[in-house]
Each structure stands twice: as C-alpha cells, then as structure tokens.
C-alpha cells in the first residue's frame, strides 16, 4: 500500500517538473514559432550553474540566480540567432540543435577541467527525509514541487493578468497586427524565449538534488520527452502542457512498478503519442 | 572536364586498397556513412522532410541482417535482403503516420519514434544485445562463383563501395526522373503541388520509404562488415552522447550542400578528415566544432548576404 | 600563400617519404610490439588511462630485465577506442595491420572485448581483454583470447560460500543491463538458487534513469538480507546514495564487486559498512606479509600510493583492483615467449600452447600472488578478497584461495584449430 502511495506522490512531483519543462517549450513555440531543441541543454546549464554557484550563494541562492542567468543567455541567443534575422521554422530548429551541441560540449569540457576525468559532479545534498511507514520520502522533492507549482501559477498570472501577457498572446495570434497596434514585437518575442529558458533552468536547478548528479548529457535525456509533452499538450497552450505532463508522469511511474524502466518509458511515450493520433493539434491546441 | 574528374575519382577509389592500404578502413567508413548522408539528403534535400531519426532505419537494416544470420543462418545476399526488408517495413509503418505532418511536426515524430525504438531495443536485450551489442559471424560473400570472406579488408571495402555506388545510382535516377520533379514540387510548395494533381501524401511516403531503404542498406553493410550490432544505433542524438560523436549525416548534408547529388559525400568526407585531424590534438574539439558548423552553415545559408557562405557551402 | 596544389604535393611527398623511411627502419633491430586498445574517452576512459600507465610501467620493467628473448619491447597505443565496440574493433584491426602489434591488451569495456574477440582469431593475434563479463571466456572466446585476471563467474565462485555463511542467502540484485551487470546477476542467481536461497532481480537501463527512486521502491526489504549492486562507477555512487537516503544501509547488507567503485573514494557515508569482492586490496597495509615486497614495487612503478591514490594527484583514486590484469598480461607474454623462444607471429601457436596451463609464481610480475592459467577457457585464476568499508577505509575481512574460484567451465579452446 505505502509503495503505491509513494509512487503516486513521486509521480505528482515529477508531473510538476515535466510541466515546467514543457510549458517553457510551449510558450517559446507560441511566441517564436520555434521548436527549441536547445531546451534540454539549457536545463542542463541551469543544473550546472546552480551546482557551481552553491558554494558561494548557498543552494537556495543558486536556485534563484541560476535561472535568471540562463534566462539572460536565452534572451541573448534568441535576439542574435532568431529575431535579428527572421528564420523559417526548420532553419530555426537546426540552429537550436547547433546551440544544443555547443552548450553540451562546453559543459563537458568545463566539468572535465573542474572535476577530473570522471566528470562526477555531485549535486548539493538537500534531503529532509520524511518517514512514511517503513520507508522514507525526501521532503525536498515536495518542496521542489511546491516551488515549481508556485512559479507555474505566477506564470499563469503573468500570462492572463498583465499587459506583457496580453502582448505575448497578441504576438502569438497575429504578429503583424500586434506590430501595428504598437507592441514592441521583437522585444516581446526575445523576452518569451528568455522566460522559457529560465523555466528550463529552474527545472534543472531544482532537479539536481533529486538526480544527485549533474552531467553534460542530462539534457538529452529529458529533451524528447518534454518535446512530446509540449506537442501533445498543444504548442502554445499552457493548460494542455500541464495536463499531459501529469498524464505522462503517472503513466511512467506506475508502469515502472509493473515492468522495467525502459518499457515503462516507451509505454508512456506511446500513450502520449496516441493523443496526437486522435487530436493532431494537441490537447489544448486550436486547429 | 566534370566527366574526367569523376572518372579519376572512380578509378582511384577502385585501386585505393592496393595503393594506400592504411586509408582503406577510413575510406570504407566514409562510404557507409556517406550512403547514410545520401539517404538523408534524398529526404531532406529533395523532398524537404527533415528527419532527425534516420538512425532507426540504419539500425533496422543492421539488425535485420544480423538476425537473419544468427537465427536463420542466412547466406550473404539473404542477410542483406532481410536488412533491406526490415528497414522498408519500418520506414513504411513510421512513414504512414509521420509524413502527414510536415515541418517541425515531422521532426518530432521521427525523433520520438527513434526514442521509442531505442527503449524497446534496450529492453529486449536478449535479442538485441542492448548497449553492449552482440557480435555474429558474417556469412561469406558469394559472387559469380567466387567465395569471399568479409574478414578480408578489401572485400569489405568493395562491398561498401558497391553499396555506395548503388545508392548514388538510385538517387541519380530518381533525381532525373519525373518522380524527382514531384519530390521537389512537394518540397517547394505543398499546396501548389497538390493543386497540380500530385498526391502529396504518396510522394512523401515514397520518398520516406526509399530513404529508409538506403539507410537500411548502409546499416546492413555496416553490420556485416563489422560483424556486430548494438542497440545504441537506434538512439536519437545517440552519437552526441559520447565525447567522440559518430559522423552525423545531417551535418554532412548541410556542409556538402542540401539537395546536391554528391554534396553529402563531400560533406561526410570533410567531417571524417576533420575528426582525424582533431582526434590527436584536441579530442573534445570535434563535437564543439560540429555545433558551431551547424550554426554557421544554417545562418549563412539563410542570411546569404555573407560572401563567406559561398566558400563554406561548397555547391549550393 | 600555400595553394591547394602545393599542399597536395607536399603531403603526397611526405607520405611517400614516410613509407620509405618506415620500410628502412624495419630492417633494423626488431622490437616486440604490444598494442593497447585504449579508450581515451567514454565511460571507461579513466580505467583506460590507468591500464595504459600500468602497461607502460610493466614494459619498462621488462626492458630493464633484458626485454623478451633479448629483444626490446615497445608499447603501441591505438587511437581512441571511445568505449564503443565497433570503434574498438576497428582500432584493434589498425593496431595489428598498420601499427604491426604482435600482441594486444584489450579495452576494459566488455562490449568491446566481445566484438573484438573473433577478429583476434582472424588476424591470428593474441588478445588479452580486460573486461570481466563472463561471456568473454565462456561464449565468445577463442584460442587467441586470454583473460589475464578474473571474470565475474570466477569472483562469484570464490566468494559465494563466504557470503552465504556470513551475510545471508536472500538477495535482491539491482543491476545495469550491460554485460558487466547482467553476467553478475545471472551467475549470482544460479548460485543462490542452488543454495536454496531467494533472489529478486531488478534490471536498470544503461545509462541509468536520472531518478532512481522507483528502482529503490521495487526492493522488497522484508525478503532481503543482501542488497547486491552491479553498476559502473558513477552509477554505483548514485544508486548507493539513493539507497542511503531511504535508510537501506542500516537494514540490509550491501554487497558488490569492487570493480563497481574502483575509481571512487570510500570515505563516504553511503559506503560505510558495504562489502566488496575484490581481486586486489586497495590499501597496502591489507596485503599479506609474503606479498608486501612485490606490492611495494608494483605500486611504486605504476605510481600508486599505499592508500590506493595516484602519486601525482593525491585526490585521484586508482582502479588498483583490476589494474594488475594489464600489468601481468605483459609478464604472461614474457614468461611464455621465453619458454618457446618466440621470434615472430609464426611462432604464436607454440606460444598459445605454452600459455595454456601455465603456472605463475608470485613475483613483481605477478604481485597478486601465485596464479594459474586454465587451459580449457584461457582464464587466469588468482586469490580473492572480501573487503568492507570501515571508518571510510577498505579493510580485508577474508582472503579466499584461488582453488575456491575454479568453477566448472563449458568451454574448451584447446581443441580449436589455430
């Protein structure tokens, strides 16, 4: 019994983290029409930066600062590569692929220089075990999930309640018209890219103590799953991403209890893929 | 002039193992990966479908050949045929779903199918060998009454060369035929092509399956000449998980010129030379440079104002 | 300004020149070349580096002792084998055909070993794979493949009696699905069932998923005395930490092969109290009295401190427990080659016959102690140790004589043709 309860709790925690990643991808697509393949690498950058900053800023300081820094990097990248020169969607996708390779390889080189050949960067140890029957659950995971939810809630407020959110939606729906009514379109688009990457970096910073290790390839591991969640949720739709993220997380965690982790992940991916077969525009997407 | 150049390249490829033995292994890898780049170019360059999961059909070709040898003790030609058949069926099934989408939707479907195939291959490690892979004993190559062992390097070399020439021939014929025109029509303007009476779905599916079969041929030849297969072949971006990535067909296509017949081969040659140069002086540099190369190629191709692009992109 | 034509002309000239120079230098004194299939990058790069150092040191020592049959010995390294089986295989071929290696010491990655083994026979070159998956001597070996230290099956045969008597027989085995992990799971499962114990297997993908929580959840603590782990270095660390956070270390005994933590420091809370099966004690003061002199010389020459760290970088842990495989492969070649007066690769069949059934006395060349090479499966048998982490340091609890690791093999390579 307690096994299943713990599994469900863990699925909930991961659901929020997947949502954070997928929502980032989704808003970027909404405003820029770009599928950001560098999302995983920016998530890794967030984890790496928070690991590097923890000794000076403490873990919680690093969790705040790392996403801001990565968000600025994202802003700059978007401005230089995607906005200053308008790109068609496939070219833009290839560019983010190039960025992904560069970031990942830079991280490899840096980690090798600081931690040696093994590249073994242990994440800061924040656990707060809570006894549950004969087992423990890390209280940290719950806290991380709460923080992520709060950020998502704040994002929703920003999205629906502020002038900036209004401009983002205007840019998404009709860019030309938005420009005509005086919205600084380029600035809005770059800021959305920055915000999306900051969300990825926050997920990376929060996930460090859960995965216990920061590695250059951790981004590739989560990239395709979050892309599929964002697409199946309907690109540009926040609510859709959220729902699909939870569906995926529950499917994967429950299947892992029944079968081996590889089949569990394949099964969860297939299940999410089925949504696309039924609704090609995604759960929350408009056709 | 062009013909003479082609003749010289062809003759030097034919005599290479006897003149410059130590380059034979390198050239063999170039032919196999070059064929892979050719397959991607057919799909992306001619039909405009960007697949980042082309490794799946390479892997299916490799496993098809390996399984035919291991479980059915197939001879050489049956093994290659089994590899091609596996790739064909796989490409048809995935294509049936994926070519309905275009642009990034197509990219996502190809990536996610690759990931699912990889996870299943890992899980079914009793028949795939998992990440360690599994070796098998390749059957002898029987041709015109000759029995040749692929353990001899020169046999493997001509096998790869033959596969590459076959692939080049197919792509050349297709590009010169009406079908090639249809591919390009669909690439340039889907709606106009449909209005002209082309069945966009069928044309894309055909292109996808043909590219899959070419990738499968590369995979089957790879598996037979290495006498080895591993599940990692399925993995999307798998090459980029290691410090020394395998030569990436997409970068080769971009480097050599999208939609050019020989472009991908030239690009792949460039990548392999680059890797040989960097491996002894700066091993980590190769992957870093790959990223920079993609950015530069794509950026300059699009912002074609830059004159340097003409130098970088050899033939576009 | 160098034009392309100039460049081509110069490089062509240089190539031809090098070829002639290579031909000319061949005619002089012929060194014996030992090749190393070296992984410079990838999962086992750190092991590759240290195996290379051990080979270098061993060859230096052999050359101080008048080489082999009076001929100098030379180490030729491959380009990067990348911890990838297909690349490693190509590198082996280049070592033999282009760099003219007479013998090759293999990668520590079992996948590479298994892919390369058939090629060793084709090219008639003796190959000493350094991975320890059982399959390399049982299923995929051949007459040219020799294993210069234990495989998983030998280690388990040696340790199982002690483990069942002292730790228990109800196992949960959490293992990586690579050959290294899978062969441990299979071999233990067979032993445990034969002894009437219980075993639960939990396979984990390689590379392991980022969150190991659900894997740990699958462990049924009520049915477990021994939690056995079979991962590679960093993954072992992540798994044992995750287990520690769930409080498992205080409720079950933790056991594994030392190869799993070979490059990690043991001064960690999550390693405290864990048991390991090892082929060579990490700390010099745990070595038996009669082997101390050999051990001291071995450590000095390879550059390992008495505590098992690198002499150059006191923070770097040396994978000492499996390093001696490469080290003693060189002395195996020397001993057998001098027995049959090996001159060229034409004499290799005679050398193989000499290796089959060879016994090696304890010496600097065999610092691990007296050993024997079983003729049928080409596997070297040596003593084993049970070590436990106490106060952050590995301490030897028991030394198990090599006779106890002699399991029954299904292979017989002596009947195979050359």
């Amino acid at each position: 019994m307690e096994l299943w309860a713990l599994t469900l709790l863990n699925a909930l925690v991961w659901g929020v983290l997947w949502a954070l990643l997928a929502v980032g991808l989704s808003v970027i697509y909404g405003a820029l029409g770009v599928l950001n393949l560098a999302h995983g690498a920016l998530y890794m950058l967030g984890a790496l930066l928070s690991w590097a900053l923890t000794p000076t800023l403490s873990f919680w300081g690093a969790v705040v600062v790392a996403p801001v820094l990565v968000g600025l990097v994202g802003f700059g990248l978007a401005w230089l590569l995607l906005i200053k020169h308008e790109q068609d969607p496939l070219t833009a996708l290839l560019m983010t692929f190039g960025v992904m390779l560069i970031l990942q390889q830079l991280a490899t080189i840096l980690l090798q220089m600081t931690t040696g050949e093994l590249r073994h960067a242990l994440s800061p140890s924040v656990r707060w075990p809570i006894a549950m029957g004969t087992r423990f659950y890390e209280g940290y995971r719950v806290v991380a999930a709460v923080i992520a939810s709060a950020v998502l809630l704040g994002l929703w407020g920003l999205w629906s309640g502020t002038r900036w959110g209004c401009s983002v939606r205007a840019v998404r729906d009709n860019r030309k018209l938005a420009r005509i009514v005086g919205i600084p379109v380029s600035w809005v688009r770059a800021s959305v890219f920055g915000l999306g990457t900051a969300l990825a970096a926050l997920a990376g910073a929060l996930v460090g103590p859960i995965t216990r290790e920061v590695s250059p390839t951790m981004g590739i591991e989560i990239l395709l799953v979050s892309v599929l969640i964002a697409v199946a949720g309907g690109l540009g739709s926040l609510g859709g991403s959220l729902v699909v993220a939870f569906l995926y997380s529950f499917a994967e965690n429950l299947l892992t209890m029944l079968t081996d982790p590889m089949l569990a992940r394949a099964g969860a991916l297939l299940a999410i893929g089925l949504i696309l077969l039924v609704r090609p525009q995604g759960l929350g997407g408009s056709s | 002039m062009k013909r003479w150049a082609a003749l010289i390249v062809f003759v030097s490829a034919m005599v290479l193992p006897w003149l410059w033995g130590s380059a034979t292994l390198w050239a063999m890898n170039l032919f196999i990966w070059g064929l892979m780049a050719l397959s991607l170019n057919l799909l992306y360059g001619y039909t405009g479908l960007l697949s980042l999961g082309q490794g799946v059909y390479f892997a299916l070709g490799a496993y098809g050949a390996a399984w035919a040898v291991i479980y059915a003790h197939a001879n050489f030609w049956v093994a290659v045929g089994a590899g091609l058949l596996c790739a064909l069926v796989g490409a048809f099934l995935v294509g049936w779903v994926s070519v309905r989408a275009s642009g990034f939707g197509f990219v996502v479907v190809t990536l996610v199918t690759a990931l699912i195939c990889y996870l299943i291959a890992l899980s079914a490690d009793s028949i795939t060998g998992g990440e360690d892979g599994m070796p098998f004993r390749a059957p002898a190559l029987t041709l015109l009454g000759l029995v040749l062992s692929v353990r001899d390097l020169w046999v493997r070399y001509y096998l790869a060369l033959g596969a590459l020439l076959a692939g080049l021939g197919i792509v050349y014929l297709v590009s010169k035929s009406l079908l090639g025109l249809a591919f390009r029509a669909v690439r340039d303007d889907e709606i106009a092509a449909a209005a002209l009476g082309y069945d966009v779905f069928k044309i894309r599916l055909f292109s996808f399956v043909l590219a899959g079969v070419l990738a499968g041929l590369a995979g089957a030849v790879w598996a037979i000449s290495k006498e080895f297969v591993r599940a990692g072949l399925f993995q999307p971006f798998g090459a980029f998980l290691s410090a020394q990535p395998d030569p990436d067909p997409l970068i080769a296509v971009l480097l050599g010129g999208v939609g050019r017949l020989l472009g991908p081969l030239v690009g792949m040659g460039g990548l392999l030379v680059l890797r040989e140069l960097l491996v002894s002086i700066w091993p980590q540099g190769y992957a870093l440079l790959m990223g920079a190369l993609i950015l530069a190629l794509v950026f300059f191709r699009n912002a074609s104002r830059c004159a340097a692009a003409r130098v970088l992109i050899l033939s576009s | 300004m160098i034009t392309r034509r100039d460049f081509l002309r110069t490089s062509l000239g240089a190539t031809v020149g090098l070829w002639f120079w290579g031909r000319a230098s061949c005619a002089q004194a012929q060194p014996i070349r030992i090749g190393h299939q070296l992984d410079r990058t990838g999962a086992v790069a750190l092991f590759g580096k240290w195996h290379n150092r051990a080979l270098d040191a061993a060859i230096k020592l052999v050359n101080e002792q008048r080489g082999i049959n009076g001929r100098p010995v030379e180490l030729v390294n491959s380009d990067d084998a990348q911890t990838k089986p297909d690349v490693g295989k190509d590198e082996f071929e280049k070592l033999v055909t282009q760099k003219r290696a007479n013998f090759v010491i293999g990668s520590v990655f079992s996948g590479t070993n298994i892919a390369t083994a058939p090629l060793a026979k084709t090219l008639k070159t003796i190959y000493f794979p350094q991975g320890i998956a059982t399959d390399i001597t049982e299923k995929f070996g051949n007459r040219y493949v020799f294993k210069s230290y234990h495989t998983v099956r030998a280690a388990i045969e040696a340790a199982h009696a002690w483990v069942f008597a002292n730790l228990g027989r109800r196992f949960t085995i959490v293992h990586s699905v690579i050959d290294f992990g899978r062969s441990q799971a299979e071999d233990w499962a067979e032993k445990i069932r034969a002894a009437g114990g219980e075993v639960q297997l939990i396979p984990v993908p390689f590379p392991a998923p980022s969150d190991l929580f659900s894997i740990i959840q699958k462990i049924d603590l009520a049915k477990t005395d021994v939690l056995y782990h079979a991962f590679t270095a960093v993954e072992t660390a992540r798994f044992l930490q995750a287990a520690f956070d769930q409080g498992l270390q205080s409720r079950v005994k933790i056991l594994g092969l030392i190869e799993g933590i070979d490059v990690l420091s043991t001064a960690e809370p999550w390693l405290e109290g864990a048991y390991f099966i090892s082929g060579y004690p990490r700390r010099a003061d745990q070595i038996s009295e009669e082997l101390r002199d050999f051990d001291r010389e071995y450590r000095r020459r390879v550059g390992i401190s008495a505590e098992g760290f690198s002499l150059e970088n006191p923070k770097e842990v040396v994978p000492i427990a499996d390093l001696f495989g490469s080290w003693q492969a060189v002395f195996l070649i020397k001993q057998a080659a001098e027995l049959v007066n090996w001159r060229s690769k034409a004499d290799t069949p005679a050398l193989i016959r000499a290796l089959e059934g060879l016994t090696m006395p304890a010496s600097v060349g065999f610092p691990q102690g007296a050993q024997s090479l079983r003729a049928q499966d080409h596997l070297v048998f040596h003593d084993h140790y049970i070590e436990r982490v106490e106060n952050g340091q590995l301490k030897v609890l028991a030394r198990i004589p090599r006779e106890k690791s002699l399991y029954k093999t299904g292979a017989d390579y002596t009947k195979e043709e050359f």
Side-chain angles (χ1 to χ4, degrees):
Chain A
M1 217 25 240
E2 79 200 24
L3 267 184
W4 291 100
L6 278 174
T7 304
L8 289 179
L9 181 59
N10 203 45
L12 210 60
V13 168
W14 272 100
V16 184
L17 291 172
W18 284 124
L20 208 55
L21 283 164
V23 164
L25 271 172
S26 199
V27 292
I28 288 176
Y29 181 83
L32 287 97
V34 174
L35 192 70
N36 180 22
L37 287 185
H39 213 64
L42 291 158
Y43 156 91
M44 178 272 297
L45 199 62
L48 188 67
L49 263 182
S50 80
W51 167 78
L53 292 174
T54 296
T56 43
L57 294 177
S58 86
F59 175 69
W60 295 108
V63 165
V64 175
V65 173
V68 173
L69 291 178
V70 177
L72 288 174
V73 170
F75 184 91
L77 281 175
W79 191 266
L80 280 177
L81 297 176
L82 304 172
I83 290 167
K84 239 175 124 195
H85 308 279
E86 187 65 43
Q87 315 282 7
D88 70 89
L90 274 193
T91 312
L93 182 124
L94 284 175
M95 289 201 146
T96 60
F97 180 49
V99 170
M100 163 187 128
L101 291 186
I102 293 176
L103 287 179
Q104 186 184 311
Q105 200 56 25
L106 279 178
T108 310
I109 294 171
L110 284 176
L111 265 177
Q112 202 159 15
M113 270 158 45
T114 47
T115 66
E117 205 74 46
L118 198 56
R119 295 199 298 271
H120 184 37
L122 276 182
S123 308
S125 177
V126 195
R127 301 278 185 265
W128 304 326
I130 307 170
M132 293 183 82
T134 58
R135 305 250 174 185
F136 291 94
Y137 193 75
E138 295 156 39
Y140 169 77
R141 291 179 186 232
V142 179
V143 175
V146 169
I147 294 172
S149 319
V151 168
L152 282 173
L153 216 62
L155 185 76
W156 183 74
L158 211 62
W159 190 259
S160 55
T162 65
R163 210 184 139 69
W164 179 82
C166 192
S167 323
V168 174
R169 278 176 289 145
V171 170
R172 178 191 66 184
D173 294 339
N174 191 332
R175 201 185 303 158
K176 270 187 192 140
L177 207 60
R179 188 168 281 136
I180 291 167
V181 299
I183 293 170
V185 172
S186 297
W187 194 88
V188 167
R189 296 174 81 208
S191 65
V192 171
F193 198 95
L195 184 78
T197 53
L199 291 181
L202 178 67
L206 286 176
V207 103
I210 296 176
T211 60
R212 297 183 168 76
E213 189 209 9
V214 177
S215 81
T217 53
M218 66 192 279
I220 284 189
E221 268 172 55
I222 58 100
L223 175 67
L224 292 183
V225 174
S226 31
V227 164
L228 188 64
I229 292 174
V231 173
L235 285 164
S237 142
L238 298 190
S241 295
L242 204 67
V243 173
V244 178
F246 280 107
L247 283 179
Y248 173 83
S249 180
F250 277 96
E252 190 188 11
N253 277 281
L254 291 175
L255 282 173
T256 307
M257 298 306 288
L258 302 174
T259 170
D260 67 85
M262 298 150 289
L263 275 187
R265 176 158 280 197
L269 285 170
L270 270 177
I272 302 304
L274 283 183
I275 297 179
L276 276 178
L277 271 189
V278 183
R279 260 181 86 85
Q281 73 274 32
L283 209 58
S286 48
S287 45
Chain B
M1 192 54 212
K2 243 181 170 174
R3 263 183 212 172
W4 282 108
L7 193 69
I8 289 171
V9 170
F10 177 74
V11 169
S12 37
M14 287 309 284
V15 298
L16 182 87
W18 316 108
L19 287 187
W20 193 8
S22 50
T24 315
L25 206 58
W26 182 88
M28 189 189 89
N29 284 328
L30 168 64
F31 297 157
I32 293 175
W33 291 110
L35 182 55
M36 188 63 186
L38 219 60
S39 138
L40 185 71
N41 190 37
L42 181 73
L43 197 57
Y44 177 47
Y46 289 95
T47 323
L49 292 169
L50 176 60
S51 163
L52 291 180
Q54 208 59 6
V56 170
Y57 313 103
F58 185 90
L60 281 174
Y63 271 105
W67 285 329
V69 172
I70 294 170
Y71 296 113
H73 305 287
N75 70 28
F76 177 85
W77 298 106
V78 174
V80 172
L84 292 181
L85 189 69
C86 272
L88 184 131
V89 172
F92 185 80
L93 291 177
V94 175
W96 188 263
V97 179
S98 64
V99 299
R100 289 164 207 271
S102 58
F104 74 88
F106 178 79
V107 179
V108 171
V109 180
T110 56
L111 276 173
V112 174
T113 24
L115 180 59
I116 291 174
C117 289
Y118 170 63
L119 291 167
I120 292 173
L122 271 190
S123 176
D125 61 351
S126 56
I127 56 166
T128 62
E131 271 294 348
D132 291 300
M134 65 185 173
F136 62 96
R137 213 191 156 95
L141 169 59
T142 46
L143 185 69
L144 307 170
L146 291 169
V147 180
L148 307 165
S149 164
V150 289
R151 297 198 169 182
D152 292 326
L153 181 57
W154 65 271
V155 175
R156 267 180 283 160
Y157 174 84
Y158 287 115
L159 176 63
L161 182 60
L164 176 71
L165 289 176
L168 268 177
I170 290 171
V171 176
Y172 177 77
L173 286 179
V174 167
S175 71
K176 291 289 167 209
S177 69
L178 278 177
L179 191 64
L181 280 177
F183 283 179
R184 267 166 279 189
V186 169
R187 173 193 67 188
D188 293 337
D189 195 331
E190 193 181 323
I191 296 163
L196 284 172
Y198 288 116
D199 187 338
V200 174
F201 171 73
K202 269 192 192 153
I203 288 167
R204 280 192 177 148
L205 183 60
F206 188 80
S207 170
F208 191 79
V209 171
L210 189 60
V213 170
L214 286 182
L217 179 62
V221 170
W222 185 88
I224 287 174
S225 57
K226 309 256 171 192
E227 299 189 282
F228 180 75
V229 276
R230 66 183 151 95
L233 295 174
F234 282 102
Q235 195 179 15
F237 304 133
F240 297 106
L241 286 173
S242 65
Q244 287 286 319
D246 290 330
D248 184 66
L250 175 64
I251 303 174
V253 169
L254 291 174
L255 183 65
V258 179
R260 312 288 295 201
L261 179 66
L262 290 171
L265 263 186
V266 177
M268 188 53 80
L271 289 191
L272 287 171
V273 168
L274 193 68
R275 191 162 74 162
E276 288 291 306
L277 288 178
L278 281 176
V279 77
S280 49
I281 46 173
W282 191 32
Q284 293 99 341
Y286 177 70
L288 198 62
L289 221 61
M290 287 304 99
L293 207 57
I294 292 188
L295 275 188
L297 289 169
V298 173
F299 195 81
F300 287 133
R301 188 159 59 104
N302 256 44
S304 54
R305 299 165 287 126
C306 184
R310 294 266 166 252
V311 186
L312 276 169
I313 303 168
L314 293 170
S315 46
S316 65
Chain C
M1 183 74 192
I2 298 173
T3 64
R4 191 174 52 181
R5 196 159 294 173
D6 281 342
F7 174 74
L8 282 177
R9 198 178 294 146
T10 321
S11 46
L12 193 71
T15 315
V16 173
L18 271 175
W19 187 68
F20 276 109
W21 181 73
R23 279 282 157 116
S25 59
C26 257
Q28 293 161 15
Q30 282 257 16
I32 292 175
R33 288 190 195 80
I34 295 184
H36 187 205
Q37 189 182 34
L38 172 58
D39 299 292
R40 294 173 204 264
T41 58
V44 301
L46 200 53
F47 295 83
K49 178 178 108 181
W50 278 102
H51 277 257
N52 196 254
R53 283 199 193 173
L55 284 173
D56 208 36
I59 286 172
K60 212 170 268 164
L61 177 58
V62 166
N63 282 333
E64 281 169 24
Q65 303 168 342
R66 287 191 53 255
I68 294 177
N69 290 328
R71 280 163 64 184
V73 184
E74 198 178 272
L75 179 63
V76 280
N77 293 326
S78 69
D79 291 337
D80 188 0
Q82 299 179 23
T83 321
K84 282 185 207 150
D86 45 303
V87 179
K89 192 179 179 191
D90 275 359
E91 290 302 333
F92 178 89
E93 183 157 12
K94 273 157 67 184
L95 270 177
V96 175
T97 58
Q98 291 172 24
K99 302 184 178 173
R100 297 198 306 284
N102 303 110
F103 308 92
V104 176
I105 316 294
S107 161
V108 258
F109 184 48
S110 299
T112 302
N113 298 158
I114 287 170
T116 308
L119 193 60
K121 185 163 186 181
T122 309
L123 298 175
K124 307 214 174 299
T125 306
I126 296 180
Y127 179 55
F128 289 92
Q130 297 298 315
I132 62 166
T134 307
D135 282 349
I136 191 63
T137 55
E138 290 291 313
K139 211 161 123 197
F140 295 116
N142 58 55
R143 201 142 193 199
Y144 287 85
V145 176
F146 288 86
K147 191 74 192 73
S148 54
Y149 78 117
H150 73 193
T151 58
V152 165
R153 190 165 292 170
I156 291 173
E157 182 73 31
H160 77 276
W162 189 94
V163 168
F164 291 158
N166 293 283
L167 304 181
R169 325 179 160 207
R170 296 183 310 159
F171 271 56
T172 295
I173 299 179
V174 187
H175 68 94
S176 194
V177 295
I178 51 174
D179 282 334
F180 171 71
R182 202 181 316 119
S183 50
Q184 291 183 57
E186 283 165 7
D187 289 355
W188 269 114
E190 203 184 311
K191 282 280 168 232
I192 295 159
R193 290 196 185 111
E198 281 173 43
V199 59
Q200 188 197 359
L201 296 180
I202 303 177
V204 180
F206 177 85
S210 44
D211 187 6
L212 291 168
F213 179 82
S214 44
I215 309 265
I216 307 261
Q217 289 299 304
K218 284 187 165 184
I219 300 167
D220 189 351
L221 287 177
K223 287 188 187 163
T224 307
D225 301 323
V226 180
L227 175 60
Y228 188 92
H229 57 87
F231 293 97
T232 54
V234 178
E235 295 192 348
T236 315
R238 283 181 48 218
F239 173 73
L240 289 180
Q241 277 176 57
F244 182 72
D245 291 335
Q246 302 245 356
L248 263 56
Q249 263 80 342
S250 57
R251 302 176 57 190
V252 291
K253 309 256 185 3
I254 309 273
L255 175 70
L257 290 187
I258 193 86
E259 275 85 353
I261 60 148
D262 240 3
V263 286
L264 302 177
S265 160
T266 49
E268 304 280 357
W270 37 270
L271 275 176
E272 191 62 29
Y275 296 84
F276 291 97
I277 303 162
S278 111
Y280 201 99
R282 183 179 286 187
R283 292 164 61 228
D285 64 357
Q286 302 294 311
I287 305 265
S288 317
E289 204 64 57
E290 80 276 12
L291 296 173
R292 289 245 168 115
D293 287 342
F294 303 138
D295 176 67
R296 203 170 300 126
E297 184 69 1
Y298 169 59
R299 281 177 199 251
R300 186 181 68 79
R301 286 189 169 264
V302 184
I304 310 168
S305 76
E307 290 295 311
F309 291 89
S310 163
L311 283 179
E312 284 163 23
N313 174 5
K315 276 174 152 174
E316 189 178 343
V317 182
V318 180
I320 189 167
D322 70 35
L323 213 51
F324 71 96
S326 281
W327 170 272
Q328 59 192 27
V330 175
F331 294 93
L332 271 174
I333 295 171
K334 180 177 162 75
Q335 193 177 333
E338 292 188 338
L339 266 176
V340 299
N341 196 20
W342 184 93
R343 297 202 165 279
S344 70
K345 276 178 85 172
D347 303 330
T348 294
L351 193 144
I352 289 176
R353 274 195 212 99
L355 278 173
E356 287 168 348
L358 198 68
T359 52
M360 297 79 79
S363 64
V364 177
F366 297 94
Q368 212 276 355
Q371 294 164 50
S372 56
L373 197 154
R374 182 156 71 184
Q376 288 83 19
D377 59 350
H378 291 187
L379 177 58
V380 164
F381 286 87
H382 52 70
D383 295 355
H384 281 85
Y385 299 85
I386 305 286
E387 298 190 74
R388 181 167 189 249
V389 181
E390 289 176 7
N391 301 318
Q393 292 187 316
L394 279 163
K395 198 168 165 259
V396 169
L397 298 184
R399 180 173 172 186
I400 300 163
R402 72 168 190 271
E403 294 74 33
K404 292 229 172 146
S405 62
L406 278 162
Y407 65 90
K408 249 179 92 113
T409 175
D412 192 356
Y413 298 130
T414 57
K415 296 206 178 97
E416 213 175 276
E417 303 221 346
F418 288 105

